[in-house]
Amino acid sequence: MKITAEQEKLIIMEILKKMNVSPEDAYIVAEATMDADLKGFSSHGIGRFPQYVKSLQNGYIQPQGEIEIESETVSTALINGKKLFGHVVTYNAMELALEKAKETGVSAIGIHNSNHFGVAGYYSDLAIMQDMVGIVMANTEPAVAPIGGKDPILGTNPISIGIPSNQNYVSVDMATSASARGKLLEAFRRGEEIPENVALDVEGNPTIDPEEALKGSILPFGAHKGYALAFMIEILAGPMVKAAYGKAVTGTANPDVICTKGDLIIVIDPSKFVDLEYFKDQVDEFIGEIKVEENVVIPGDMEVMNVKKHMDQGIEIDNTLYQQLQEISTDLNIDLDDLII
């Protein structure tokens, strides 16, 4: 079945309000989750929502509270997320990063004691909307083996970069592994195979079975290059922000344990370097040069196409996910079908 973006938001907000999440925070979680589905990152959209509900039930996500700024300078801050929704913590951290960058030109905000935040690109988009460059990265629980090994130690460690322009949406949002773990979880839920050259089983053999891949390891993208980038993010979003790293990272995919990962946000104000309109015009001129051939795309084009498609055609909900949402709704005395009529 398919639902509209607004129906998805309504489902999420109604469930979270019943679970004592404030309307303001529920709205942020719903917006970020819907954003993932619209852009085509269904592995981080409403399909991931039952994980958040279980983490709430287990007490690993706190429904209400306030983040704590543990240390701060004019251009930096370290935030303790107080186990709140990762979406809410990261949204507020980005808002703080934008304020600081407007004053100092460049800002960096570290986050620990937070939770899974959906897609990184939702937050770098917030920077784009204010004519800033946004960079967001995070580490995750082990899923990727180092080059030469088969034991998962690194996370899929996503990074997003958003750049403002006058005419284009310019954004990259990617895992540093050949596949996000969420795509494997989604394939397992749907009973589908995963592509070749994505993952290994526990013996280190290639596999297209998502269950075996989840027990084994995901390959880094681009071999040593993806591994090196994941390695660096592991440190920048781990020890540098007072978060766990390597095998100590938990809770980004497993709702039965506390989340120990970290995040790093960097914001750059181009106007502190050059005239803002000059910068955006130059970005667009470069894109024009890139797109001189008809079928060439830039980072962000696929997301723009997916948003249009999903706004027009709706967001797919598979039968297993529908049953999960139905069970959650029934337990909370919510009529799911009333929300999607």
Side-chain angles (χ1 to χ4, degrees):
M1 66 177 297
K2 290 186 176 181
I3 60 174
T4 68
E6 287 305 313
Q7 286 171 335
E8 176 173 322
K9 281 175 61 177
L10 183 59
I11 291 168
I12 293 169
M13 291 178 67
E14 287 299 313
I15 289 172
L16 292 183
K17 288 176 188 176
K18 283 278 191 174
M19 300 188 76
N20 202 33
V21 178
S22 73
E24 296 80 13
D25 287 358
Y27 181 82
I28 292 172
V29 176
E31 278 278 310
T33 305
M34 179 191 70
D35 182 73
D37 277 318
L38 285 176
K39 289 176 178 173
F41 298 110
S42 56
S43 58
H44 288 61
I46 195 168
R48 204 65 173 256
F49 185 63
Q51 172 187 321
Y52 305 146
V53 171
K54 192 167 184 183
S55 290
L56 269 171
Q57 293 168 334
N58 288 336
Y60 297 126
I61 294 179
Q62 293 300 309
Q64 295 193 32
E66 297 290 334
I67 63 172
E68 177 187 352
I69 299 177
E70 292 186 337
S71 62
E72 187 174 20
T73 70
V74 291
S75 60
T76 67
L78 178 65
I79 289 177
N80 182 335
K82 294 293 185 175
K83 295 203 295 185
L84 296 168
F85 266 99
H87 314 70
V88 174
V89 176
T90 313
Y91 181 92
N92 282 282
M94 177 54 82
E95 291 289 295
L96 179 60
L98 290 166
E99 288 178 19
K100 288 181 177 295
K102 287 174 185 176
E103 294 297 319
T104 63
V106 180
S107 66
I109 308 292
I111 302 168
H112 69 102
N113 197 22
S114 184
N115 280 286
H116 190 273
F117 59 36
V119 286
Y122 175 73
Y123 309 98
S124 51
D125 282 357
L126 297 175
I128 294 175
M129 292 173 193
Q130 296 196 33
D131 285 331
M132 305 270 200
V133 174
I135 304 170
V136 179
M137 63 189 80
N139 64 4
T140 73
E141 58 193 89
V144 177
I147 294 293
K150 63 179 182 180
D151 188 14
I153 298 175
L154 296 96
T156 56
N157 296 4
I159 181 169
S160 70
I161 304 172
I163 294 177
S165 86
N166 282 320
Q167 301 174 24
N168 298 274
Y169 173 64
V170 188
S171 173
V172 61
D173 184 355
M174 52 176 269
T176 50
S177 51
S179 170
R181 189 202 310 264
K183 291 185 178 179
L184 271 60
L185 293 168
E186 184 177 51
F188 177 62
R189 187 185 75 233
R190 293 178 174 177
E192 299 173 349
E193 293 180 339
I194 59 174
E196 295 180 350
N197 303 316
V198 163
L200 307 175
D201 63 19
V202 289
E203 300 299 325
N205 301 309
T207 183
I208 56 173
D209 182 337
E211 184 175 13
E212 293 301 314
L214 288 165
K215 294 176 183 176
S217 64
I218 307 172
L219 295 168
F221 88 86
H224 63 285
K225 296 179 181 179
Y227 162 61
L229 185 54
F231 182 97
M232 296 302 180
I233 292 174
E234 194 76 44
I235 295 169
L236 294 174
M240 199 174 82
V241 301
K242 205 176 175 180
Y245 57 91
K247 292 187 176 182
V249 183
T250 58
T252 59
N254 181 0
D256 294 322
V257 293
I258 190 170
C259 187
T260 61
K261 63 97 167 181
D263 314 310
L264 178 66
I265 293 171
I266 300 169
V267 172
I268 304 169
D269 182 355
S271 72
K272 297 296 193 293
F273 295 84
V274 294
D275 176 79
L276 179 61
E277 289 306 310
Y278 165 83
F279 173 75
K280 294 197 291 184
D281 285 342
Q282 292 290 292
V283 171
D284 287 328
E285 283 190 25
F286 172 59
I287 291 169
E289 189 175 309
I290 290 286
K291 287 191 168 185
V292 68
E293 296 180 68
E294 184 178 355
N295 295 320
V296 172
V297 296
I298 64 162
D301 278 352
M302 292 301 297
E303 286 87 343
V304 171
M305 288 186 282
N306 282 331
V307 169
K308 185 180 186 308
K309 170 188 169 185
H310 291 124
M311 290 297 289
D312 291 342
Q313 301 177 18
I315 295 164
E316 184 70 38
I317 300 290
D318 61 72
N319 291 335
T320 302
L321 176 57
Y322 176 79
Q323 289 301 319
Q324 291 173 344
L325 295 172
Q326 184 72 267
E327 290 171 11
I328 292 168
S329 300
T330 300
D331 289 344
L332 296 170
N333 295 315
I334 296 171
D335 190 330
L336 180 63
D337 290 334
D338 276 354
L339 300 178
I340 57 179
I341 290 176

